Structure formats: C-alpha cells, structure tokens
C-alpha cells in the first residue's frame, strides 16, 4: 500500500484536474462553480487516503482510525457547503463522489498501484464519505427551508399588525381625511400580507437544491423605498427620516425583496432603538452601486457578534438571546443584497449607534427571474 500512498501524494493536482474536467461535463451545478469552491475538501481527502495507505490500515480497522473519522467529519461539512451553492441537488453531490472514486481508482490501476486491499479501503472510505455528505446536504436544505418559511411567516405579522391598528383607529371618530388615510394603509397592508403569503407558499414548494425566485425588472428604486418609509411612518410613533441623494435611481431590481429588506431593517431599528432618536434612512448612489442604510441609536451590538448576525444558522443566534432578537429577517436581508450583487454590513458602537448598510449593483442583473437562497453558514473543513 506504500506505493499507492506515494503515487497519490505526488499526483493530487493531476487527479483533481481530471476529476474537475469530468465533473464539469457531467454535473450541471459544477459548471458555474469556480475551482476553489468546487474542490472544497476533496484534496484533503486525497491526502488522508494516502495517509491511510501509508499506514496500511485495512478495511476492518477503518472505523477506529482517526484519519478516516476526519474524512467523514469533513464530508459532513462538504454536504452543508454544497447546500449553500445554488443549483446543487443531492443526486449531484453523490455523482461528484462517484466520479471522484472512479478517477482515483483508474489512476491507481494505470500506475500499477491497485489491488483488492486498496480497492476495499478506497470503496468503503469514499462511499461512506458520500453517504454522510449526502445526508448532511439533505438536512441543511431542510433547515434552510424551515428557516426561510419561518422568516416569511414572521414578516407577515408586520402588515397584518398595521392593518389591525388602522382598522382600530377607524373605529374612533376620525375626520374624513384621516379615515381615508387609514383605509389606504389597511388596503396596502393587506395586499402586502397576501404577497408574502404567496411567497410563503412558493417556499413550501421549493425542491432541494433550489431557492426562492426573485423577479428582476428595470425600475426607479426610490419610489418603492419611499413608499415603505411612508408606511412605516404611519405605523410607528417614533420619528423616521428618509433622505435620497437623487429623485430617480434606476436599475435592475427585484422590487418586492428590496421593499422587504427595508421593512426588516426599519422594524429592527424601531425595536432596538432608544425610542426617542429618529430612525434615519439614507439612499445614495455611486456609479453602478446603490447604498441603502438604516440607523438607530440604542444599545450597540457587540463587535465580536456583528460578523455572524446575518447567518441564520449562526451559533450567535442560538447562544445569545440578545442577538437572536434581531430576528430571522437579517438572514433574508443578506440574501437579497447578495442576489443584487452586493452585500450587507453593520456598524455599531455606543457613540454612533447602529447602522445597517445594504449595497446593490443596479447593473448586474438582467430583467427576468432568478433563484436566490439563504446562506447555511457551513463550517470550515478540518485539516491537520
């Protein structure tokens, strides 16, 4: 087995190159994946297999071997990683491993480094890794679907609450102008709730490997964001200020998702603000990028927790209730920003308060539908 170990260690780049060529030919999702992401932990598996060969570990001793257990451990994270890569399916994850096994076996046979013992070790190692990875992929997809549905269900409460408040106010003896205003708010809120329910139904129907559908079109993004600001001003007693550097900022956007992004940021700003200082919304443009920020004063978010606050599977969300309370909506905010070729960041300290800033590339997308998915925050690969 030592010859096989030497061969594998010396030929990892060639093995991976042949694997990549076949995978990109036979696994559809891999075509749009760059080499670094595509390889993921697989070169580490080759190194670990070579280590097993070098130590002449036979099939019946593998389950107790630390290196074998490391391969299986990394395979779990590989499956979770693939779940966050759009368009992958469980079948495609399995197919990658099958190709990996076949390429490695063929290379070993060509180098006269293959026998029944090696075949037995190789078959058990890669097939076990494949099954663990596929299982992790399926569980991660299920978690994402549950979180996404939970996020949408959570968001439905906002417009329904606004409609309820408006209806209650209409029960008081309001003048004609205020009654019309409350009627408009009620109608608009119910329409929004219906739209979110339709999104919820779409999410329930999502198949493993897919995401939610965004509908991009060319529009002036200032108008829908102003509408969200006005709705929020009607709902909340806290003062909200909206400023835009331009009256018209055109680009290719999904209007519904960006409206929801701002709604979530405003809701969190009100919930976690000091209750007295105005919520400040700023919309600016710089070449192809649009920047939308929402600022509130109040207790800051600890610096060590800021990086993971957008990840819906983040440990921060489960271990620290004060940060979990920022809501699942922040995971959706991150997804929307990234689907628009941008990102979301937070800056928070006692002096300046808390500011969430979303950046969008207004020229990246084309009109039409596009899939987007929440990030599952897969853990890193274990190496030695």
């Amino acid at each position: 087995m030592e010859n096989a170990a030497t061969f594998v260690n010396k030929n990892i780049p060639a093995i991976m190159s042949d694997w990549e060529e076949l995978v990109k030919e036979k696994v559809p999702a891999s075509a749009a994946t760059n080499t670094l992401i595509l390889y993921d932990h697989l070169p580490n598996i080759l190194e670990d297999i070579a280590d097993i060969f070098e130590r002449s570990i036979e099939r019946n001793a593998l389950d107790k071997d630390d290196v074998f257990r490391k391969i299986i451990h990394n395979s779990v994270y590989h499956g979770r990683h693939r779940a966050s890569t759009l368009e992958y399916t469980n079948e495609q994850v399995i197919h990658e491993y099958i190709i990996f096994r076949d390429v490695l076996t063929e290379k070993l046979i060509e180098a006269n480094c293959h026998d029944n013992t090696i075949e037995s070790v190789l078959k058990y190692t890669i097939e076990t890794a494949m099954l663990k990875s596929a299982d992790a992929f399926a569980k991660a997809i299920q978690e994402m679907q549950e979180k996404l549905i939970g996020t949408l269900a959570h968001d439905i409460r906002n417009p329904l609450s606004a409609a309820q408040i408006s209806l209650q106010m209409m029960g008081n003896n309001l003048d004609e102008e205020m009654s019309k205003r409350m009627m408009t708010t009620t109608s608009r809120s119910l329409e929004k709730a219906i739209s979110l329910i339709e999104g919820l139904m779409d999410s329930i129907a999502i198949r493993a490997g897919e995401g939610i559908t965004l509908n991009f079109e060319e529009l002036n993004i200032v108008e829908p964001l102003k509408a969200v600001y006005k709705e929020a001003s009607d709902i909340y007693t806290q003062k909200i200020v909206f400023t835009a550097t331009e009256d018209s900022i055109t680009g290719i956007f999904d209007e519904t998702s960006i409206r929801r992004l701002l709604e979530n940021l405003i809701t969190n700003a009100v919930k976690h603000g000091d209750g007295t200082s105005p919520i400040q919304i700023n919309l600016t443009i710089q070449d192809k990028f649009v920047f939308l920020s929402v600022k509130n004063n109040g207790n800051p978010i600890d610096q060590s927790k800021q990086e993971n606050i957008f990840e819906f599977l983040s440990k921060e969300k489960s271990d620290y209730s004060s940060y979990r309370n920022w809501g699942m909506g922040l995971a959706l905010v991150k997804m929307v920003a990234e689907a628009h070729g941008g990102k979301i960041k937070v800056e928070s300290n006692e002096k300046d308060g808390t500011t969430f800033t979303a950046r969008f590339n207004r020229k990246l997308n084309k009109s039409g539908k596009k899939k987007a998915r929440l990030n599952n925050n897969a853990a890193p690969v274990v190496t030695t």
Side-chain angles (χ1 to χ4, degrees), residues 143-188:
E143 289 174 9
M144 282 190 280
Q145 290 172 336
E146 290 173 354
K147 291 292 185 179
L148 184 56
I149 291 169
T151 298
L152 291 168
H154 173 271
D155 288 348
I156 290 171
R157 292 188 304 177
N158 291 333
L160 290 179
S161 295
Q164 183 182 38
I165 292 171
S166 297
L167 288 171
Q168 289 173 345
M169 292 182 66
M170 289 170 63
N172 301 327
N173 295 320
L174 302 178
D175 57 40
E176 183 177 354
E177 182 180 351
M178 181 59 74
S179 294
K180 288 181 179 180
R181 183 179 176 184
M182 291 299 100
M183 180 65 74
T184 300
T185 299
T186 301
S187 175
R188 191 167 51 208

Side-chain angles (χ1 to χ4, degrees), residues 219-275:
L219 56 91
N220 172 17
I221 197 61
V222 178
E223 293 306 316
L225 294 181
K226 274 187 177 179
V228 173
Y229 150 69
K230 291 177 180 177
E231 291 169 8
S233 297
D234 290 340
I235 296 170
Y236 300 113
T237 56
Q238 189 169 350
K239 184 178 181 181
I240 302 174
V241 178
F242 179 91
T243 59
T245 56
E246 306 283 344
D247 291 331
S248 177
I249 299 177
T250 59
I252 306 296
F253 303 99
D254 176 81
E255 178 180 342
T256 300
S257 68
I258 288 188
R259 284 177 63 103
R260 290 186 59 211
L261 177 148
L262 181 56
E263 289 166 2
N264 274 286
L265 292 180
I266 292 174
T267 299
N268 279 330
V270 171
K271 185 189 301 183
H272 299 282
D274 60 14

